[in-house]
Amino acid sequence: MAMGVFDSGVGGLTVHRELTRRFPTADFVYLADQAMAPYGGRGGEEIVDLTRAGCERLVEAGASLIVLACNTASAIALRRLQQTWVPEVRARTGRPVNVLGIIVPTIEAATGLPWTYEAERLREEGEKRESLEITGVFCTAATAMSRVYEIEIDKRRDDLAVFSEPCPGLAGLIELGAPDEELEVVVRDHVDALRRRVGRHPDKAILGCTHYEIVADVFARELPEGTPLIHQPSAVADALERYVTRHPEYDLGAGAGRVFLTTGKAGPQSERVSRFWGAPLTFDPA
Ligand code: DGL
C-alpha cells in the first residue's frame, strides 16, 4: 500500500517533496492529471468528476491515504468525495481508504489555531477593530470563487481580513515551464491588482495554489520585502504527521517507492520543474 498524492499537474510536487521528507520509508504514488490541467477555470461538477477519477486511479495503484495536493480540488471536490466516494470505495475494496485536503492545514497555519476552534464573538456587530491584518491569498479562479479562505479564516480570527486574488492562467504557465521574465510580469500584475483593490499590500500572503510554490521566489520578489509567506507543503506535512499517528490503520508501505504518473504526455518534465526538484523528473503514463 502507499500514500497517494494528487494534483492537476506539477504543483502537487511541492507538497509531495515535503511529505517524502517526513515519511521517508513510505511508498508514494503521485498522479498528475495533466491531460485536463489546469483545473482553476473549470466548473464545479467537472472538478469533482476529475478529482474522483484521479482518486480511483490512485486506489488502483495501491494508495490507501490520498492527499489532494491541489487547493482547487480541495475547495471544490473534497467534501463531496469524503461523503460519497470514500464510503463506497471502502465497501468495494474492503480496506481503509481516505482522502484529505490541504486547505484545513493551511488555515491552521494562517490563523495559528486548530481547525476545531471557532472564535467566540466578543465584539458587538458593527464595532470596529483598531487594526486589521491583511492576508492575501493568491489562488485559482475556482478557489477564489469558493471563498473558502475568507469564510474559514473569518470564523476563527476577527483581526484578519482575507482577500483572495484569482490568478487565472498562472498555473498553466508554470505547467508549461514558462521563463522567469514571463512569470514575473504576470505575478507583478496580480500583486498590484490586490494592492489596488485593498488599498495596500497584504501583511502576509498565502500561496493558495500548489503550482505557485514552485515560483515562491518570484512572489517573494514582487511582494514588499520580507512579507511572510505561508508555505503549504510544511503546513500539510505537519498536519499529516499528526493524522497518521492518530490513524495507524492506513498502510503507507515501507519500501520507499516513488511512482510518478500522468494522464498527459509521459516523459521528462519541464526545465523549471527539474530546477525546483533538483534533478530531472520523468512521469510515467497513468
Ligand atoms: N495546483 C492546483 C491548486 O492548488 C491547481 C491549479 C490548476 O490546475 O488550475 O489549485
Side-chain angles (χ1 to χ4, degrees), residues 7-8 38-40 70-72 140 171 208-211:
D7 184 37
S8 62
Y39 278 12
C70 174
N71 289 267
T72 311
T140 66
C209 168
T210 50
H211 280 73

Side-chain angles (χ1 to χ4, degrees), residues 102-119 121 129 133-137 148-162 204-206 228-232 235 238 242:
I102 59 172
I103 290 178
V104 169
T106 310
I107 285 170
E108 289 184 323
T111 58
L113 293 166
W115 182 249
T116 46
Y117 178 91
E118 269 202 31
R121 296 283 159 183
R129 269 225 153 243
E133 195 182 288
I134 307 286
T135 304
V137 184
V148 63
Y149 282 104
E150 283 87 337
I151 294 166
E152 297 299 343
I153 292 177
D154 186 58
K155 279 187 199 161
R156 293 164 175 83
R157 291 273 302 264
D158 66 357
D159 57 335
L160 299 182
V162 182
K204 65 181 168 202
I206 296 175
L229 291 179
I230 307 238
H231 291 285
Q232 288 196 303
D238 289 348
R242 296 193 294 271

